[in-house]
């Protein structure tokens, strides 16, 4: 690991509270150093963001097939956990997507244009989750094809 990564680890503060819970707090600069110290730069972080985004919209799309999945014993997340829980997991996956994109911004000082596109992506993901509800799955095709097409362009 490059010295930037080692320096970043030195900046990490580990706090053990009375209940013996361990909490790690990283400064913004420490996280940026870790990202920059990566051998491939921002590529793994963008890869993680795209993977999480894809997993998130795949879970949404799978909500349409929950009855088929159960009848054929397929273990999709909506079939196993239920549609409401699956949609919550999808929301968390998309939140993690935005976190990775924010890490790229802080680590590589991407600038105002990057932040504008990141804001647009965030808004589209929020709208996608507001459109699709357990009782409103008829909006899945629009959210899946149109909203995610817009995100992919951004």
């Amino acid at each position: 690991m490059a010295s930037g990564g080692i320096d970043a680890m030195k900046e990490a503060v580990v706090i053990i509270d009375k209940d013996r819970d361990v909490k790690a707090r990283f400064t913004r600069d420490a996280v940026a150093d870790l990202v920059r110290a990566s051998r491939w730069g921002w590529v793994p972080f963008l890869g993680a963001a795209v993977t999480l985004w894809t997993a998130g919209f795949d879970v949404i799309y799978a909500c349409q097939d929950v009855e088929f999945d159960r009848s054929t014993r397929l273990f999709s997340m909506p079939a196993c956990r239920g549609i409401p829980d699956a949609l919550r997991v999808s929301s968390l996956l998309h939140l993690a997507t935005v976190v990775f994109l924010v890490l790229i911004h802080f680590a590589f000082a991407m600038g105002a244009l990057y932040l504008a596109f990141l804001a647009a992506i965030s808004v589209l993901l929020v709208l996608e989750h507001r459109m699709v509800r357990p009782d409103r799955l008829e909006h899945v095709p629009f959210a899946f094809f149109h909203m995610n097409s817009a995100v992919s362009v951004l």
Side-chain angles (χ1 to χ4, degrees), residues 8-102:
M9 294 307 293
K10 289 178 184 175
E11 291 183 40
V13 178
V14 177
I15 303 167
I16 301 176
D17 67 10
K18 295 177 194 173
D19 299 326
R20 297 180 189 255
D21 289 333
V22 176
K23 300 175 184 172
R25 180 180 57 85
F26 292 91
T27 65
R28 186 182 89 168
D29 291 335
V31 172
D33 286 344
L34 282 173
V35 174
R36 280 192 297 268
S38 169
R39 183 179 192 159
W40 298 287
W42 54 266
V43 173
F45 298 91
L46 183 60
V50 170
T51 301
L52 292 165
W53 166 60
T54 304
F57 72 68
D58 190 56
V59 170
I60 292 172
Y61 195 74
C63 288
Q64 299 178 109
D65 301 326
V66 70
E67 295 306 320
F68 175 81
D69 291 353
R70 287 179 178 154
S71 70
T72 57
R73 297 184 183 192
L74 293 175
F75 299 104
S76 68
M77 187 173 298
C80 292
R81 306 281 306 178
I83 293 173
D85 281 349
L87 291 176
R88 280 190 281 277
V89 168
S90 176
S91 294
L92 292 173
L93 289 166
H94 284 156
L95 177 64
T97 297
V98 173
V99 168
F100 273 98
L101 294 174
V102 168

